[in-house]
Amino acid sequence: MTGTLHVVDRGSGPAVVLLHAFPCAGTMWEPQAARLVDAGFRVLVPDLPGFGASPLPEAAPSLDAVAATLIAMIDDRDAGPCILGGVSLGGYLVMAILRARPDLARAVLLCGTKATADGDDARASRERLARMVMDAPDDTVRILEQAVVPGLLGETTRTSRPAVVEQVRGWLADARAESVAWYQRAMAGRPDSRPLLAGLTAPALVVWGVEDTLSPRAEQDLMLERLAIGEFAVIDGAGHLAGAERPDAVAEAVGRFAEQVRDRRRS
């Protein structure tokens, strides 16, 4: 599967790998990727398997299976160790990669995500969504708009940034029912990653939109309490997809952190 994974690989210098949210594609990272390339980094942004131009895995739903594909991509492109970042689902995958290959991460970006596992209610909700889209695949966009959009975007964006709302709806329109169901089941099975973060020695940046209700402040605090070297970037006027809602603010936070990591390595 690694050979068919679609990856945008540009720039030169220390490598940064950026993993997108559900149910989006790698293009959501464009403002931040551009900032990093301009600052002298090599940036790799894959479409996760099943999204964008990358085919869905044939394996049973598992974030570890996706992590294995991403690890192979990083190794094949000689991109490790790298700054490894992800938003939401992408953050879960960062943690899955760290469980398997902690040596690949020079530093970590965790955006709009959380380290805790799903509880019973959350797992049941994911299974309902998976069944809904598979029972009515032609209605996938409508189902996602009703079930997902209110949580993905902050109130400020929903009320005053119509272009961002339309951009996110476009991402949802490209999502395939099979991929939606597969990832809902994969995310439901993820483990608690708090012990993993407690053992992480690489520096980490946690990025959080103040209006994020899917990954609330309490979840950010749980991660920050466990990180040995953790920084916190708070983005006002943004929700779960802060990088799309306030792209310049997130690009600056991510770029500044990456430059600090690079400068520490040089000194």
Side-chain angles (χ1 to χ4, degrees):
M1 184 171 63
T2 60
T4 55
L5 189 68
H6 178 261
V7 184
V8 175
D9 183 346
R10 59 190 172 123
S12 60
V16 182
V17 175
L18 300 173
L19 308 177
H20 65 78
F22 169 94
C24 307
T27 53
M28 74 172 299
W29 276 109
E30 175 54 32
Q32 294 77 40
R35 165 69 170 80
L36 290 165
V37 169
D38 288 345
F41 291 88
R42 177 189 178 194
V43 182
L44 296 87
V45 185
D47 288 341
L48 297 177
F51 295 110
S54 297
L56 186 67
E58 296 180 1
S62 164
L63 294 187
D64 288 340
V66 179
T69 297
L70 295 168
I71 289 168
M73 180 272 292
I74 294 169
D75 285 340
D76 289 348
R77 292 173 180 258
D78 195 24
C82 60
I83 298 176
L84 186 59
V87 54
S88 190
L89 162 63
Y92 302 156
L93 288 167
V94 167
M95 290 178 256
I97 292 170
L98 290 173
R99 275 191 293 275
R101 287 283 303 280
D103 61 294
L104 287 182
R106 178 167 290 140
V108 173
L109 298 165
L110 297 169
C111 308
T113 194
K114 54 189 174 184
T116 54
D118 280 351
D120 291 343
D121 289 346
R123 286 193 293 269
S125 178
R126 290 192 190 280
E127 181 58 29
R128 281 195 298 273
L129 179 56
R131 289 181 181 274
M132 285 173 66
V133 297
M134 292 307 294
D135 287 345
D138 291 341
D139 286 339
T140 297
V141 177
R142 178 186 61 80
I143 293 167
L144 287 176
E145 286 194 356
Q146 292 178 350
V148 175
V149 169
L152 287 181
L153 299 173
E155 181 180 358
T156 300
T157 298
R158 295 196 308 272
T159 59
S160 64
R161 298 183 183 120
V164 176
V165 175
E166 287 307 307
Q167 180 183 48
V168 172
R169 283 178 171 157
W171 293 335
L172 300 187
D174 290 336
R176 301 181 284 277
E178 296 82 359
S179 298
V180 171
W182 196 96
Y183 275 92
Q184 285 297 309
R185 289 163 174 154
M187 288 189 283
R190 74 185 191 281
D192 188 332
S193 292
R194 286 174 291 178
L196 169 80
L197 295 185
L200 183 67
T201 58
L205 174 67
V206 175
V207 180
W208 178 67
V210 171
E211 299 172 10
D212 187 350
T213 57
L214 292 180
S215 300
R217 175 61 187 264
E219 293 285 352
Q220 312 310 301
D221 290 340
L222 288 174
M223 293 191 291
L224 290 163
E225 288 166 3
R226 284 158 177 80
L227 291 166
I229 310 173
E231 299 180 28
F232 193 30
V234 176
I235 311 298
D236 292 326
H240 196 59
L241 299 184
E245 298 173 72
R246 293 203 57 209
D248 292 344
V250 174
E252 184 56 31
V254 168
R256 187 168 55 247
F257 175 72
E259 289 164 351
Q260 290 171 354
V261 171
R262 180 179 60 194
D263 293 345
R264 283 194 210 107
R265 181 173 172 80
R266 287 174 175 170
S267 62

